[in-house]
């Protein structure tokens, strides 16, 4: 009997796989804070194929509380298979003269979401993420209204990564802009032996059936941890701009491979 599965572990039934085959469908609550930092430090995180953005100093931190599922929706009946949280840092760039965005760091709290991210080119690592939630009733509801404050934190490897707070003022006219252009990430899988990666390619993250609620915005605070494994202080906020809170949904059926990376940049 052949082994089955989109991802390992493969099994006779295929049920043992960590991630089912796409399409994958996502719904989430976003908390986003835009900020400016050292432009040279952002440029240093870009691959050779990407040029700095028109505003090379701009970045944003995105906190997301996700619910996801495959086409048959079976994960929604067992929430541990569908619910997870993320925190990621996105910067702007340019590809062949067109504005793009890029995820340079990202933490997630479930293994299936981490692996699914690797497939799509997101450099996910495990972390612990918490976000203020909103409900329709009660004093602890944190409704979408002027003056409501939403907080979020991310820790990893027993270290604080990011802490953010957004105080809502009203409906945003523009919404967040750093992460608005198409996202160009890197699928990178090391070789089984040697230093030359088996996969090293630029991909464009797409998606369809995108939907969003009204976007609220307001002033924000943002702080990065001092002792992270990643050199986050290099891109720590110099000036915090606006924060945003809204819900978002989309579906994914793979990514577009834009082309191979220049492997010389790994040396």
């Amino acid at each position: 009997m052949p082994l089955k599965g989109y991802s390992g572990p493969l099994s006779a039934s295929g049920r043992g796989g960590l991630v089912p085959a796409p399409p994958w469908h996502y719904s989430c609550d976003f908390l986003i804070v835009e900020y400016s930092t050292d432009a040279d430090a952002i440029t240093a995180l870009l691959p050779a194929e990407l040029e700095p953005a028109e505003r090379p100093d701009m970045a944003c931190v995105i906190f997301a509380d996700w619910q996801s599922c495959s086409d048959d929706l079976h994960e929604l009946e067992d929430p541990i298979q569908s619910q997870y949280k993320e925190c990621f840092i996105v910067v702007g760039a340019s590809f062949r003269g067109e504005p793009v965005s890029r995820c340079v760091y990202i933490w997630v709290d479930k293994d299936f979401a981490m692996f699914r991210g690797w497939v799509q080119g997101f450099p996910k690592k495990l972390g612990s993420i918490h976000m203020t939630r909103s409900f329709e009733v009660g004093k602890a509801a944190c409704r979408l209204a002027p003056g409501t404050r939403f907080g979020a934190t991310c820790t990893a490897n027993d270290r604080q990564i990011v802490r953010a707070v957004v105080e809502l003022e009203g409906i945003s006219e523009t919404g967040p802009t750093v992460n608005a252009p198409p996202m160009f990430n890197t699928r990178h899988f090391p070789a089984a032996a040697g230093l030359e990666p088996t996969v090293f390619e630029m991909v464009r993250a797409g998606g369809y059936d995108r939907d969003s609620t009204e976007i609220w915005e307001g002033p924000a605070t943002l702080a990065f941890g001092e002792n992270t494994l990643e050199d986050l202080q290099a891109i720590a906020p110099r000036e915090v701009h606006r924060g945003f809170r809204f819900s978002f949904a989309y579906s994914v059926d793979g990514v577009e491979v834009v082309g191979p990376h220049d492997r010389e940049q790994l040396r």
Side-chain angles (χ1 to χ4, degrees), residues 83-161:
Q83 296 177 0
Y84 64 100
K85 297 185 182 72
E86 284 181 328
C87 172
F88 47 118
I89 302 174
V90 174
V91 302
S94 175
F95 180 70
R96 298 173 181 170
E98 296 296 324
V100 302
S101 61
R102 182 171 176 86
C103 176
V104 293
Y105 295 111
I106 179 169
W107 297 265
V108 64
D109 62 6
K110 292 288 181 64
D111 56 359
F112 69 84
M114 183 169 69
F115 183 85
R116 193 167 56 192
W118 292 351
V119 171
Q120 299 176 76
F122 289 89
K124 296 188 180 184
K125 303 171 74 173
L126 288 176
S128 177
I129 298 95
H130 292 85
M131 298 171 58
T132 303
R133 293 178 291 182
S134 180
F135 299 97
E136 294 297 322
V137 295
K139 293 182 179 180
C142 287
R143 295 175 179 82
L144 297 179
T148 300
R149 294 166 62 87
F150 286 85
T153 60
C154 174
T155 59
N157 298 295
D158 290 337
R159 294 161 168 86
Q160 180 171 301
I161 303 295

Side-chain angles (χ1 to χ4, degrees), residues 53-70:
E54 184 175 341
R55 280 288 309 272
D57 62 332
M58 289 296 294
C60 72
V61 172
I62 302 176
F63 286 91
D65 186 354
W66 293 101
Q67 184 157 286
S68 66
C69 62
S70 50

Side-chain angles (χ1 to χ4, degrees), residues 6-7 19 22 24 112-122 124 186-189 199 201 203 254-255:
Y6 173 77
S7 65
V19 175
W24 303 312
F112 69 84
M114 183 169 69
F115 183 85
R116 193 167 56 192
W118 292 351
V119 171
Q120 299 176 76
F122 289 89
K124 296 188 180 184
T186 297
R187 280 170 43 90
H188 175 214
F189 291 91
V199 176
E201 58 193 12
V203 295
V255 292

Side-chain angles (χ1 to χ4, degrees), residues 1 35 44 53 80 90 126 135 138 152 178 184 197-198 204 223 228 235 262:
M1 180 177 294
Y35 71 96
I80 198 168
V90 174
L126 288 176
F135 299 97
V178 175
F184 278 56
T198 299
R204 181 186 188 276
T228 60
I235 56 170
D262 176 8

